[in-house]
Amino acid sequence: MHYKEYKSILSAKNGLNLFRGCTHGCIYCDSRSDCYQINHPFEDIEVKAHALEILEQELQRRRKPCMIGTGAMTDPYIQLESRLNITRGALELIDTYEFGVAIQTKSNRILRDLDLLSSINKKTKAVVEMTLTTYDETVCKILEPYVSTTKERVETLMAFKEVGVPTVVWLSPILPFINDTEENLRGLLDYCIQAGVKGILCFGFGVTMRAGNRDYFYQQLDKHFPGMKKKYQYAFGDSYVCNSPNHEQLMKLFIETCEKHAILWRTDDVFQYLHEFEDKREQLSLF
């Protein structure tokens, strides 16, 4: 871990990333890509110095409350967060200044902040976004070795359902020739139905690869799935988008299931929901 000075913490679109790098070890991680210019070992987490002070100043300067999105580049609940409490501090500020939040993770550590997310959601809107990729727990531990298992993540979604905090699932990536099966998809969709998710983000059934993350991904394929690297190279070459040969049938199943259970599935609709700020304070004042 190391600290680095930053002048700002919120992006122009109100995105918040408190860390750079990750220790979850997901074999397909896009954030390893060279285009993100992480100029330090990926597992050596860069913590943004004075992040909470900067965040508070930027929230104070915003003309009106809005949704703050976090977790797009680095999971806000990496192992270090248990000690640093920076994510919790950010949620406390968002709660104090009555902004909304959409927070994305793969970790059940988010349950520590259930109280804050419930408080935010009562006043404005909090959405918990959870990534699910693999129904099979054994395969999950290979693809995403140092993070909560799929079962643990679903239990987390259920806990937020119980307190009325809405949830969205990221169904991504689905790896060709590894977990791109109808059985895997049905299992994950059943979990989403049980958890009562508001929407599911699915960008197709496949994985993206580019310089940086491709190298790491192939190293892990050689380690855990002998022969799979050659299969990928033959099927996709240097393509950025690597779609599953089962893409069409899986997409059909996905859409039919979502529509049957009134789950948002169109990407634009889900993102619109995540970005729409809701002000419940007037309603609360009536009571």
Side-chain angles (χ1 to χ4, degrees):
M1 181 190 81
H2 64 280
Y3 286 88
K4 184 176 178 180
E5 297 288 339
Y6 279 80
K7 292 183 179 179
S8 63
I9 201 78
L10 285 177
S11 72
K13 295 185 178 180
N14 300 305
L16 172 67
N17 283 294
L18 300 165
F19 312 105
R20 280 171 63 84
C22 189
T23 47
H24 287 343
C26 303
I27 72 171
Y28 51 74
C29 181
D30 177 70
S31 293
R32 292 179 181 272
S33 300
D34 294 347
C35 64
Y36 298 118
Q37 299 179 338
I38 294 180
N39 56 3
H40 55 84
F42 194 70
E43 288 77 13
D44 176 18
I45 304 299
E46 181 177 287
V47 182
K48 297 184 178 182
H50 314 295
L52 298 182
E53 292 91 332
I54 298 169
L55 174 61
E56 182 166 23
Q57 293 168 7
E58 295 190 330
L59 291 178
Q60 290 173 336
R61 286 199 295 265
R62 289 295 191 271
R63 291 185 177 181
K64 58 183 180 178
C66 61
M67 293 295 288
I68 304 296
T70 186
M73 278 293 296
T74 298
D75 197 311
Y77 292 98
I78 52 176
Q79 289 85 338
L80 274 174
E81 169 57 21
S82 298
R83 175 162 58 90
L84 297 176
N85 289 313
I86 295 176
T87 296
R88 184 168 180 84
L91 291 176
E92 288 172 341
L93 289 171
I94 290 169
D95 187 36
T96 297
Y97 289 95
E98 299 184 333
F99 280 67
V101 68
I103 185 165
Q104 182 182 353
T105 186
K106 295 178 185 174
S107 176
N108 62 2
R109 292 187 189 91
I110 194 174
L111 289 171
R112 179 202 64 185
D113 297 332
L114 185 147
D115 60 331
L116 276 171
L117 289 161
S118 296
S119 176
I120 294 168
N121 193 57
K122 286 175 183 176
K123 289 181 280 189
T124 59
K125 179 171 147 187
V127 185
V128 171
E129 304 167 67
M130 188 69 72
T131 300
L132 301 179
T133 64
T134 312
Y135 183 72
D136 186 304
E137 294 289 289
T138 301
V139 177
C140 176
K141 290 174 183 177
I142 295 172
L143 303 184
E144 302 155 339
Y146 307 122
V147 69
S148 301
T149 66
T150 299
K151 184 179 179 182
E152 291 168 336
R153 294 179 221 174
V154 174
E155 289 170 348
T156 301
L157 291 171
M158 296 296 289
F160 281 102
K161 176 185 178 183
E162 289 178 9
V163 297
V165 173
T167 56
V168 163
V169 159
W170 288 65
L171 195 65
S172 173
I174 302 298
L175 304 180
F177 317 123
I178 295 176
N179 62 344
D180 59 336
T181 64
E182 189 171 308
E183 179 184 10
N184 182 59
L185 179 58
R186 286 189 185 278
L188 294 175
L189 290 174
D190 284 345
Y191 276 150
C192 291
I193 294 164
Q194 291 173 39
V197 302
K198 178 72 177 180
I200 303 175
L201 278 167
C202 176
F203 303 98
F205 292 91
V207 65
T208 57
M209 288 192 291
R210 47 191 163 192
N213 78 315
R214 177 185 281 109
D215 300 338
Y216 184 79
F217 181 58
Y218 281 168
Q219 289 172 14
Q220 298 304 306
L221 289 185
D222 282 340
K223 181 178 178 180
H224 299 290
F225 303 95
M228 188 62 73
K229 173 183 172 180
K230 289 184 178 179
K231 195 168 185 177
Y232 266 74
Q233 290 174 324
Y234 178 78
F236 306 117
D238 292 328
S239 297
Y240 170 57
V241 178
C242 307
N243 279 334
S244 163
N246 304 324
H247 172 84
E248 188 173 337
Q249 68 191 62
L250 293 177
M251 185 57 73
K252 183 175 184 290
L253 171 61
F254 169 69
I255 294 172
E256 288 177 351
T257 304
C258 288
E259 293 194 339
K260 179 179 179 181
H261 295 276
I263 298 171
L264 297 176
W265 63 269
R266 291 182 175 85
T267 303
D268 289 347
D269 291 343
V270 181
F271 277 126
Q272 182 179 353
Y273 173 72
L274 291 173
H275 291 126
E276 278 180 344
F277 178 75
E278 296 178 17
D279 191 343
K280 303 171 185 174
R281 292 168 296 182
E282 290 185 9
Q283 293 175 314
L284 287 173
S285 67
L286 295 175
F287 299 95

